[in-house]
Amino acid sequence: MSAFVHRPVLSREAPEALIARPDGLYVDGTFGRGGHSRLVLQRLAPQGRLIAFDRDPEAVAAAAAIKDPRFQIVHAPFSAMKERLGDLGIGQVDGIFLDIGVSSPQIDDPSRGFSFRFEGPLDMRMDSSEGQTALDLINSLSEIELAKIFREYAEIPNFSKLARAVKASADAGKISTTRDLAETVEKVSPSTPRGKIHPATLVFQALRIAVNDELGEIERALPEAFELLGKGGVLAAI
């Protein structure tokens, strides 16, 4: 099997928008597999510096492949960048880049449980070293709380019916894998016509957002990002 190659979106636009001073200090808050970080490094001067963050231990491990003295990786979510930069004695930066959301390597790894395309554990944690899994969440929430997640994080029309079915199956011990959940959803929401999304897509999206507190991460990170930016600094987000 060939190695995964990450092709970052907006590969030309993102570094161009971010870098006003090639000799400045920049932050990549969502390293992933380093596609954007590598492009930023290509545009930095020898005096420039890039500090990347990622909450995924696998992403942090992948960052070891970048042998560049201007580069540093920190295992932390981007919501913690102000605190962690402070630990490094850094109070201001020239630019911050965020590519928000799940990454392809996470989706394509069955063991991470992000996709119903593969049989795998219902995990969905971006940081697999801590926190509740999607299955833990389903088991711990009430039907009403689960319905709220389906409604608010994915705007699923039949959120109440779906939550009832998922909770009933989970309570009966019938949900432990991604395929179990997808099949439960399909029984409540029949397959859509060709070209439409699979009925489980929005359910997986809602659970992923809840497991990783993705909206909370953004709400906490943005004010701090603006505080970190120096005069003329740039925040670029996808």
Side-chain angles (χ1 to χ4, degrees):
M1 183 180 292
S2 60
F4 177 84
V5 178
H6 178 230
R7 292 182 172 83
V9 297
L10 298 176
S11 59
R12 177 179 59 82
E13 294 87 349
E16 285 183 357
L18 182 68
I19 301 172
R21 292 181 48 228
D23 62 346
L25 171 58
Y26 295 89
V27 171
D28 180 351
T30 47
F31 179 79
R33 288 301 180 269
H36 288 109
S37 281
R38 288 179 173 86
L39 292 169
V40 169
L41 287 167
Q42 289 175 10
R43 298 179 69 91
L44 288 184
Q47 302 81 13
R49 186 178 177 190
L50 175 64
I51 300 175
F53 288 77
D54 208 292
R55 64 199 298 191
D56 188 340
E58 292 183 13
V60 175
I66 298 182
K67 309 297 184 182
D68 190 318
R70 302 171 299 170
F71 175 78
Q72 181 177 355
I73 185 72
V74 178
H75 180 203
F78 58 76
S79 64
M81 60 184 164
K82 183 180 179 182
E83 177 185 354
R84 298 301 293 273
L85 287 171
D87 293 341
L88 298 172
I90 297 169
Q92 282 196 334
V93 300
D94 296 292
I96 298 170
F97 174 74
L98 302 173
D99 185 2
I100 298 166
V102 69
S103 67
S104 296
Q106 291 169 329
I107 293 174
D108 294 336
D109 182 349
S111 71
R112 304 299 297 272
F114 283 101
S115 175
F116 53 83
R117 290 188 291 123
F118 314 102
E119 177 80 17
L122 266 176
D123 195 315
M124 301 193 195
R125 292 173 298 168
M126 290 182 179
D127 186 344
S128 54
S129 67
E130 63 179 21
Q132 283 190 315
T133 66
L135 183 58
D136 292 334
L137 196 69
I138 290 171
N139 287 330
S140 65
L141 294 180
S142 68
E143 178 186 319
I144 293 175
E145 290 169 324
L146 192 60
K148 183 179 180 182
I149 285 175
F150 291 164
R151 184 185 75 240
E152 294 187 357
Y153 294 162
E155 299 181 351
I156 299 173
N158 57 337
F159 58 89
S160 293
K161 187 177 181 181
L162 269 173
R164 190 177 309 117
V166 170
K167 279 300 294 183
S169 292
D171 290 346
K174 296 180 180 179
I175 293 181
S176 61
T177 69
T178 52
R179 190 159 295 164
D180 292 338
L181 177 58
E183 289 175 354
T184 298
V185 173
E186 284 184 289
K187 291 175 183 177
V188 179
S189 303
S191 297
T192 54
R194 182 173 296 180
K196 301 292 185 179
I197 65 172
H198 188 281
T201 301
L202 294 179
V203 170
F204 273 68
Q205 171 188 303
L207 287 171
R208 189 203 81 221
I209 291 172
V211 165
N212 298 289
D213 189 24
E214 293 180 35
L215 299 186
E217 282 288 305
I218 296 170
E219 290 174 358
R220 290 187 292 273
L222 289 181
E224 294 195 350
F226 285 111
E227 290 178 15
L228 281 167
L229 290 173
K231 185 177 181 181
V234 174
L235 171 64
I238 299 175

